[in-house]
Amino acid sequence: MTGYTFLPWMREGLASSIPKEDSLIGAMDSRVQVLVSLQVNNTVTSGVQVRLYGPGDVTGFDQRQVLRTDPPHLATGFEENYFASIEFDRPDFPWMFTPAAAKGNRLRPWIILVVLSKQEAKLEIPKSQTLPILTIKSPYQEKLPDLGESWAWAHTQVNGEAAGDQGLKGMLKGDPKLNLSRLICPRYLLPSTSYIACVVPAFDIGVKAGLGEQIDENGSLLPAWDVKNASDTTDLRLPVYYHWEFATGEAGDFESLVWALEPRRMDPDLVGVRPLNVTVPGYNLPSCKVPGLEGALRVSEGTSPGLNGVPENFREALKDLLNKPQTLTTISDLSDSVIVPPIYGRWHAAKKSIDSTSRPWLEQLNLDPRLRVAAGVGTKIVQEKQDQLMASAWEQIGEIDRANQALRQAQLGRAVGTAIHKSHMSNLPAESLLQLTGAAHSRLLWEEQTIVSKERGTTITEVPASAAFRRITRPNGPVARRVNGGGSSQKLDLIKGINSLKYRLKQPLKSLRGAAVLEGITDSSGVRRRLEQANKEALSKLDAKKTLEGFKGAAIIIQEAILRTVDPLLRDPKDPPRLPIEDSKKILLDRLDPEKTVTNRMQARIVIPDPMWRPADPLEPIMAAPEFPTPMYRALADHSQDWLLPGLEHVPPNTLTLLETNPRFIEAFMVGLNHEMSRELLWRRYPTDQRGTYFRQFWDARGRIPRQASTKDIPPIHEWGKALGDHMSSTAAQEQMVLLIRGDLLRRYPNATIYAIKGEWMTVNGKKVRQPKSSPSTDEQKFPQFSGKLEPDITFLGFDLSASTAQGNDTTAPGWFFILQQQPTEPRFGLDVSQSSTGMPLTWRDLSWNDVHLSEGRYVQLSGGLKNSFQKPGTPANIDWNTASNSAALAYITLQRPFRIAVHASDLLPI
């Protein structure tokens, strides 16, 4: 915690030069003058009396001076043993207008904080006044503090620990945000009461100024009220510079509530277990006696005996009953059949019966009546909340319904396409298939190029597969009728003839890059010579007749020359390779197979994010598994808190104890939840294969330290392969330690910090004792992995510790301590409710309200000193509690530091 330095008073400017000391009691001058002189070079002028402002000049202050109030405005639940206080920005604010100098480190402030119940006073804001008016009913003397001790409850605070006077001066001249002043009201409040806190004038001249009454400029300065003047029977009216309201809570503060807790060891025969009657189980099953029915929490001694606690004859009879549906093979077998209990987890384990090949957990769960009860509770909870659960499940399904419809249509399309592919396309001749599929050739690959590209380099080219070629060569078409009377065979012969070069297709021209000029043409074949001759002939014709007709004639001459000479050179004289038509048929049938095309199309269209959904048929409709992340311990406790912790009534109030989790019960309960949810999803036609694990969270792991990527308590049930209770996701131990606190502590202080620290051995007075490590490493601290609440006043927190590790031993292992710590806050002041009986020497922080004298109005009276019940500590030497003390010493005494207590696990576990 940051250190503080408290000062009993502070003055700045001319006020620090006031010569006359405060009388502390009685009257003094209401106005004060200070002699001020001016020095110019080496010449000092004669002094001038300057009158300073006093409390009679104040009719209000800037509300922005207020930094904080404790408690805040309209707060509830304020501790009645704490002092109400208000903080100001200026470190000298409470003494700014006090017309006197400090006397023995004591100086009365010009304002004071009073706290009154709404039955004792009334606050109103008159229209004719600028300040609210607080009216205190007569007799007011017993409701207000003694102004003769007002100096004791105002101080300056400097954040940090000053090293000597020079260090203190440096801190005061430093960052203004580190300095403040504070007023405290030392009244012992009543619990569950509404209060008004008001900053009011401490002197009568300030009261008159605030009320707008006439002020005697040369009068004496008297206190605003006198608690000893019993003759004044009128109501007291005070102007209010600042006010706020709050209410106290129930009796007790954090420290007193912690001391009220008693470490206890629970009886494993009373807590964590209750009787289970299996004398008349029904279904002609034999009577049996089993150990008690456990809950999700148990006393660490109460380890379940497992199936050994269930008689063998009962297990065999129950197994035969559960397996009976699998023995019915004919209609006559149904005549004496009955509806048998379910096999919990059968879909997740993919088993229809319980046999020697069953997974261990399946047999243990279904043949132990206690665990069947736990699974049955999970079933009951799902049945009670089925509508809400299904509504959430349908919300999670999103686009799966539409995707499944598309997948079902794709399955139909694939089936129809496959039938056509096998019965028709596969039986077509290669030539017909080539023409039939021509439109798709540009999108189908043959090795590393499209089929169109493959065709272009062969005798076939892409022409025979084109729509125009198919149209003019169709059976009984105009071309086919002229060739031997038509018919489809003629068409096939045409394709074969083209491929075998029986019929030749005119080869397309080679493509040229760039423009050709005569100078770039060689004359090895006489091309250049012929073109030059044609060019001269064209020019002569153009010279003879320079008209449009002449130009046209010249162009024709050039064109005819090019066709005669260049065209034969641009055509490939070599025969192109033949297209392997039979190979093309195999390629086309493979590329157009609906088993591939439809599947690939749907996989590109529908993306399934769940990596676990990988069915054998890619077009299988998606099976969804909704997730419900709600911690299910709440639903279990809502059903009955005895399911969470049987024997709760045997846990006394104000108890601190250790329990442990019961993973066998928890896993059985979770299987029951998921089993019944699978049945409900199937009944509601939800797309599911009934093997999903919809509930994986039992404990509330919010706020877990350190944070983990997954806080699920169980892995998916279909992955389970070990004994029941061995699948919990705890990182340290299957049975986790659970700290249970029954009392008002965490209800009143829900933000309290609770954690575990490894112990260490220390030698005290020659004796070896355990204590928490003073500087623990990360591995030597454990924070709660989960937490929860039970009505009306129980909180439990789970730690990754086993009972043996937490308890330790008396020789080598110091074990672990559980720490209950108050959350650090801004500085607060008050006295303890009562002294703690720790057996240690008392310190000032142990001072309680029972050790000080109070006035009739429950205000602290310093004049009485301390009661004999408190032995004054010897340190610090300059600290005391009386009228000779000062406000800085009283602030040190009453400062309430965050409270912390450590309890060893051995004090909480059964011996």
Side-chain angles (χ1 to χ4, degrees), residues 766-812:
K767 185 179 179 181
K768 192 177 182 181
V769 296
R770 290 181 283 210
Q771 70 174 27
K773 278 202 167 187
S774 56
S775 301
S777 64
T778 303
D779 295 337
E780 294 170 336
Q781 298 182 80
K782 298 282 187 181
F783 292 90
Q785 299 301 291
F786 62 84
S787 62
K789 297 182 181 296
L790 295 176
E791 296 296 335
D793 55 357
I794 292 178
T795 300
F796 58 87
L797 306 101
F799 294 85
D800 270 337
L801 289 169
S802 64
S804 57
T805 302
Q807 191 166 11
N809 55 53
D810 296 332
T811 55
T812 57

Side-chain angles (χ1 to χ4, degrees), residues 477-502:
V479 175
R481 285 196 302 270
R482 295 173 187 173
V483 181
N484 299 326
S488 60
S489 62
Q490 297 297 329
K491 178 179 179 180
L492 300 180
D493 290 342
L494 182 61
I495 298 296
K496 290 180 180 178
I498 294 174
N499 195 42
S500 63
L501 297 179
K502 180 180 178 181

Side-chain angles (χ1 to χ4, degrees), residues 463-667:
V463 174
S466 66
F469 190 88
R470 291 199 307 272
R471 185 167 58 253
I472 64 175
T473 60
R474 67 186 182 275
N476 299 318
V479 175
R481 285 196 302 270
R482 295 173 187 173
V483 181
N484 299 326
S488 60
S489 62
Q490 297 297 329
K491 178 179 179 180
L492 300 180
D493 290 342
L494 182 61
I495 298 296
K496 290 180 180 178
I498 294 174
N499 195 42
S500 63
L501 297 179
K502 180 180 178 181
Y503 308 114
R504 289 181 177 271
L505 295 174
K506 188 175 182 180
Q507 295 294 324
L509 297 178
K510 291 182 179 180
S511 59
L512 296 177
R513 293 183 180 179
V517 295
L518 289 176
E519 289 76 6
I521 300 177
T522 61
D523 201 30
S524 59
S525 58
V527 173
R528 179 173 178 179
R529 180 178 53 79
R530 289 196 293 270
L531 290 179
E532 289 178 347
Q533 182 63 34
N535 188 44
K536 291 178 179 179
E537 183 180 349
L539 290 175
S540 64
K541 191 169 185 177
L542 182 62
D543 292 338
K545 192 177 182 181
K546 294 183 179 180
T547 62
L548 180 60
E549 292 297 328
F551 279 105
K552 184 176 179 181
I556 292 175
I557 293 173
I558 297 293
Q559 182 182 17
E560 290 176 348
I562 292 175
L563 290 174
R564 289 193 307 270
T565 57
V566 178
D567 184 71
L569 297 176
L570 294 180
R571 298 190 183 275
D572 195 344
K574 299 179 182 178
D575 292 334
R578 300 181 183 183
L579 178 71
I581 294 183
E582 293 301 324
D583 290 346
S584 70
K585 179 178 179 179
K586 296 178 182 179
I587 294 294
L588 287 169
L589 290 176
D590 179 72
R591 300 295 188 266
L592 296 175
D593 185 358
E595 289 285 350
K596 297 181 178 179
T597 57
V598 176
T599 300
N600 293 339
R601 170 60 177 162
M602 294 309 298
Q603 287 181 330
R605 178 181 172 188
I606 299 175
V607 179
I608 303 175
D610 186 0
M612 298 182 64
W613 179 248
R614 291 293 180 264
D617 182 2
L619 298 186
E620 185 71 22
I622 302 167
M623 297 290 103
E627 292 186 2
F628 305 102
T630 303
M632 294 311 295
Y633 95 88
R634 296 178 183 170
L636 183 64
D638 290 344
H639 198 266
S640 174
Q641 293 189 156
D642 278 340
W643 292 117
L644 199 68
L645 181 61
L648 192 60
E649 65 277 6
H650 297 295
V651 179
N654 293 321
T655 290
L656 189 67
T657 189
L658 273 179
L659 306 172
E660 70 178 8
T661 58
N662 185 355
R664 283 167 52 85
F665 178 94
I666 295 171
E667 288 187 9

Side-chain angles (χ1 to χ4, degrees), residues 273-311:
V273 67
R274 54 178 168 167
L276 178 62
N277 189 341
V278 199
T279 56
V280 187
Y283 292 101
N284 295 322
L285 293 174
S287 174
C288 76
K289 184 179 181 181
V290 298
L293 178 62
E294 299 173 336
L297 297 175
R298 65 187 180 194
V299 179
S300 60
E301 257 189 7
T303 303
S304 173
L307 278 177
N308 295 330
V310 182

Side-chain angles (χ1 to χ4, degrees), residues 80-81 83 142 144-146 149 153 185-190 831-833 848-867 881:
E80 86 283 359
N81 60 303
F83 296 152
E142 61 187 31
L144 294 172
D146 185 357
E149 296 180 355
W153 308 112
C185 179
R187 189 178 194 186
Y188 192 9
L189 305 175
L190 296 172
L831 300 174
D832 289 354
V833 175
S848 72
W849 286 98
N850 296 334
D851 302 320
V852 300
H853 294 278
L854 300 178
S855 67
E856 189 175 355
R858 297 170 64 89
Y859 289 92
V860 172
Q861 285 185 318
L862 294 174
S863 56
L866 294 172
K867 295 181 180 178
W881 184 277

